[in-house]
Amino acid sequence: MIQHPQEQLSAYLDGALAAAERAAVDAHLAVCGHCRARLAELREVSKLLAALPKLAPRRSLVPRRLPAWLVPARLVSGLATAAFALLFVVNGVSALGPAYAPAAAPAPAALERAREGPGAPAAPAPAAPTPAPVPAAAATATADQAASPKTAEQRTAAGAQPSPTPTAALGVTESRATPVPRGTAPARELGFADRDQQRVSVPAWAWLVAALGAGALTFGLHRAITRRRS
Amino acid sequence: MSDERALIDRLASGDESVFDALARLYERALYSHAYRLLRNATHAEDAVQDAFLLAYRGRAGFRGGSFKAWVFRILTNRCLDLLREGQRHATVPLDPPVDTEEEAPTSETVARGPSVEEVVTGNVLLEEVERALAAVPLEQRLAVLLRDVHGFDYDEIARITSAEIGTVKSRIHRGRLAVRDHLVAKGWRSAGNPETGAGVGR
């Protein structure tokens, strides 16, 4: 009895047999119903498998190319963040420093020295709110009086010009309204109000905002890059 | 597909911009293959992404011929690596892993055998075929998938699986028999088989 083909049946089905082998299986199938039935079964299983649907992934799996500008953009943005942060620190420190350092304590001593005579070296005044009400009160008082020493004292306390002027009211007005030239000793003693008037560049907080904005941009670009690379 | 042929020729001659277009053509087939090997949607997605990256990096090695066979080989090797790694670390047996992902087919027993003609539109039998496949040992399952699901010929399968042709023949045959046995156990009867009863079982 001819041996029934086993594996050859599948290969026969798939057309993977050499010519001679194929002929032998043909001959066997002609006389063997059992093998014909098994061949039919194999054919149906094969068709069922071929009918299986293609499964779909939950997301796209094709690699996304990194746009060429992303990495350089992140670098520039990162440098900008660092630059803005540095500018903020530099400006912030210089804005806050002088106002706090020599401000409060020596003020009473300065007032005393001013009382002793005009022309005495002007001392740093206390913080902004204080000089304003003092000259205001002094102006009213001075207008009624003509006493020179008091005038000089008031003017010095408000940080006015070192030389006394003939009219008290004029002196007080000038000290409140006119910006004092930079670089002079009195100028350094001024409070916040005058400091801002001298400043022509960007305020410190603007650098902070810029640094935060650039930082957010850098972070966003970094996220975009790593997401595509993963 | 002449379009595909044109894309392949361009890739083989060094035009890498067509790589993504080719990848998109085969994305679902590759994912299906990976899923049926790994039985885990997340692992399958990762495997296909890895395969695309590996294929892109190695695109100079593609000299023409079947892009599909080339990329399937890369994916198959990646899946086998993942399975071996999983086997080393996990306690889950390699063969066959149980799929617990949300895509697990609903388990319905198949009523006594609709034949192929009746079932072309129906899904019940095909769900059972999927389950049958999951129970087939890995190497036989791989051979059957490549042959019957993806249509590769024996030579291509031998190259994809790094096996001898004789081994490929044997695995395909035994894999088909395993699927058949599972279906028969669930009540399936082949149409036109005079030995197992009437043609169309119900």
Side-chain angles (χ1 to χ4, degrees), chain B residues 71-85:
Chain B
V71 75
F72 260 82
R73 181 187 155 91
I74 294 172
L75 173 67
T76 300
N77 286 334
R78 182 68 191 138
C79 290
L80 293 176
D81 287 343
L82 286 171
L83 285 170
R84 266 180 240 119
E85 277 174 34

Side-chain angles (χ1 to χ4, degrees), chain B residues 58-128:
Chain B
R59 62 195 179 278
F62 176 69
R63 302 283 158 74
S66 172
F67 177 84
K68 189 180 175 187
W70 180 70
V71 75
F72 260 82
R73 181 187 155 91
I74 294 172
L75 173 67
T76 300
N77 286 334
R78 182 68 191 138
C79 290
L80 293 176
D81 287 343
L82 286 171
L83 285 170
R84 266 180 240 119
E85 277 174 34
Q87 198 184 18
R88 238 181 275 136
H89 300 138
T91 54
V92 176
L94 176 64
D95 227 328
V98 175
D99 170 44
T100 53
E101 291 290 306
E102 54 278 357
E103 287 159 64
T106 57
S107 61
E108 299 161 14
T109 52
V110 180
R112 275 186 66 88
S115 67
V116 174
E117 298 87 73
E118 290 185 346
V119 154
V120 169
T121 52
N123 283 327
V124 174
L125 184 54
L126 290 182
E127 284 174 15
E128 203 56 49

Side-chain angles (χ1 to χ4, degrees), chain B residues 2-180:
Chain B
S2 61
D3 287 339
E4 181 188 340
R5 192 72 248 162
L7 289 175
I8 289 176
D9 289 341
R10 282 170 65 185
L11 183 69
S13 61
D15 181 359
E16 63 187 49
S17 64
V18 303
F19 184 89
D20 285 2
L22 280 169
R24 265 189 291 275
L25 274 179
Y26 292 113
E27 185 181 6
R28 290 181 65 165
L30 288 163
Y31 174 75
S32 305
H33 185 60
Y35 181 79
R36 290 182 182 120
L37 290 177
L38 302 172
R39 309 309 304 181
N40 179 300
T42 307
H43 297 173
E45 287 168 357
D46 291 346
V48 173
Q49 274 196 310
D50 293 347
F52 279 144
L53 284 172
L54 291 166
Y56 185 75
R57 273 189 224 143
R59 62 195 179 278
F62 176 69
R63 302 283 158 74
S66 172
F67 177 84
K68 189 180 175 187
W70 180 70
V71 75
F72 260 82
R73 181 187 155 91
I74 294 172
L75 173 67
T76 300
N77 286 334
R78 182 68 191 138
C79 290
L80 293 176
D81 287 343
L82 286 171
L83 285 170
R84 266 180 240 119
E85 277 174 34
Q87 198 184 18
R88 238 181 275 136
H89 300 138
T91 54
V92 176
L94 176 64
D95 227 328
V98 175
D99 170 44
T100 53
E101 291 290 306
E102 54 278 357
E103 287 159 64
T106 57
S107 61
E108 299 161 14
T109 52
V110 180
R112 275 186 66 88
S115 67
V116 174
E117 298 87 73
E118 290 185 346
V119 154
V120 169
T121 52
N123 283 327
V124 174
L125 184 54
L126 290 182
E127 284 174 15
E128 203 56 49
V129 172
E130 287 274 18
R131 260 168 289 193
L133 263 181
V136 175
L138 178 68
E139 275 155 356
Q140 295 169 19
R141 183 176 358 137
L142 175 56
V144 162
L145 286 172
L146 291 171
R147 173 64 211 137
D148 286 325
V149 176
H150 298 289
F152 291 109
D153 63 40
Y154 281 39
D155 288 322
E156 287 169 328
I157 297 174
R159 255 180 306 198
I160 291 172
T161 58
S162 307
E164 301 280 335
I165 295 255
T167 313
V168 171
K169 267 189 211 175
S170 163
R171 286 173 178 169
I172 289 175
H173 187 69
R174 297 220 297 274
R176 283 169 174 163
L177 289 181
V179 171
R180 172 210 171 268

Side-chain angles (χ1 to χ4, degrees), chain A residues 66-67 69-75 218-230:
Chain A
L66 205 58
W69 57 267
L70 264 184
V71 175
R74 181 184 61 176
L75 178 66
T218 310
F219 181 68
L221 289 171
H222 181 69
R223 282 274 304 272
I225 290 172
T226 51
R227 203 167 355 113
R228 282 161 208 259
R229 277 190 185 152
S230 65

